[in-house]
Amino acid sequence: MQKMSPKVLVTRKLPAAVEARLSERYDVRLNPDDRPLKRAQLSAAMAHYDALVSTVSDKLDASVLQAPQRRVRMIANVGVGFSNIDMDAARIVNISVSNTPDVLTEATADIALLLILASTRRTSAAETKLRQGHWRGFSVVDYLGSSVQGKILGIIGMGRIGRATARRAHFGLGMQVVFYSRTPFADPTEELGYPARQVDSIDALMATADVVSVHVPGGRAGPLISARHIAQMKPSGYLINTARGDSIDQDALVAALVGGRIAGAGLDVYAHEPTVPDALLQLDNVTLLPHMGSATAEVRTAMGMLAVDNLDGFFDGSGPVNQVL
Ligand code: 8YV
């Protein structure tokens, strides 16, 4: 008798080549409409599939993961982040979890750089005006931003994406790099290959940096960057976030921007996606992107393929390559 293929639910649409590869090996249910699954659908899926290929929009919390008659044993998350999954709950019910690191590092750092430049040079507001037909012609004093050359970039979280962003900003934009990391660096300049300084607290970083860029995983009990931290930023400072919205006290950030207490922000991620606070939409000193740090055809395909590698590893017994649980 032929062995049954594992049943796999793919929660969102994936690049065609990835879906084709999944369909070859698995009894797969795809989501061609790409509509995010509701909580009840995710709970029901737990009893019908052997594995899920999920992503950031799937909130796999304790009540979903511990659904009755659970059959799912493996979750291959498409994304380096996995804060959409309650890892404690997954551990209790013995579900294996994998992510897709590395392949998106450079693309995400590119978007961080884009947000640094777009926010300091005010290009979003300028382009919006142009598109609305309000450009009256060149003016020496219109749309003045601030230069980044020689300014201090403060990186929070000096992991893969933090390093790739810092390297671009240093070599590409001529910025000085200061960073906060839980891991102590014996000699940052030696380790990174250019002059860089580690500070020992987020407070010190916020007060020192001209541009702060966040590169830490989300999913903590509370925001790592609190209202108190935001209050320590320079009035001329900019905050960039390409990591997770829940890492920053979003209400405090919005209040600081609305009150003009900081100069601007560049955001790719939000605390309650896809909701973007109305107050942000009204501001002309912010650049707002719809969570697209890794959104290139090449990278999203590579992420999907890595998720399939992880699934294959789980089912052939060699283990997921990027197992995080
Ligand atoms: C993904 C991300 O696009 O990898 C991550 O953690 O936030 C993005 O690169 C997102 O997870 C959806 O796949």
Side-chain angles (χ1 to χ4, degrees), residues 54-57 77-82 84 100 104 108 161 242-244 268-269 291-295 299-300 303:
S54 60
T55 189
V56 67
S57 56
N77 209 48
V78 179
V80 64
F82 43 87
N84 55 307
T100 61
L104 49 73
T108 307
I161 301 172
T242 52
R244 283 293 179 269
D268 186 42
V269 289
H291 197 145
M292 54 185 287
S294 62
V299 169
R300 287 283 166 82
M303 290 166 72

Side-chain angles (χ1 to χ4, degrees), residues 36-150:
L37 298 183
K38 300 213 167 63
R39 180 187 183 75
Q41 294 173 300
L42 289 171
S43 291
M46 294 303 292
H48 287 101
Y49 295 92
D50 298 299
L52 306 182
V53 176
S54 60
T55 189
V56 67
S57 56
D58 305 305
K59 196 165 163 38
L60 300 169
D61 59 17
S63 76
V64 170
L65 295 174
Q66 293 165 1
Q69 274 115 44
R70 181 182 48 80
R71 172 168 168 179
V72 166
R73 288 182 296 138
M74 159 70 176
I75 299 173
N77 209 48
V78 179
V80 64
F82 43 87
S83 59
N84 55 307
I85 304 170
D86 182 330
M87 297 298 271
D88 292 331
R91 189 175 293 113
I92 289 167
V93 292
N94 203 22
I95 293 176
S96 180
V97 177
S98 63
N99 69 343
T100 61
D102 301 318
V103 291
L104 49 73
T105 299
E106 305 300 328
T108 307
D110 288 343
I111 288 288
L113 215 71
L114 182 148
L115 286 173
I116 293 171
L117 287 171
S119 57
T120 56
R121 299 298 298 273
R122 307 179 56 196
T123 56
S124 293
E127 184 175 354
T128 301
K129 282 204 167 171
L130 179 148
R131 285 178 184 269
Q132 291 168 344
H134 298 317
W135 187 33
R136 296 186 317 271
F138 177 80
S139 154
V140 175
V141 291
D142 271 351
Y143 305 119
L144 300 187
S146 42
S147 298
V148 291
Q149 284 76 18

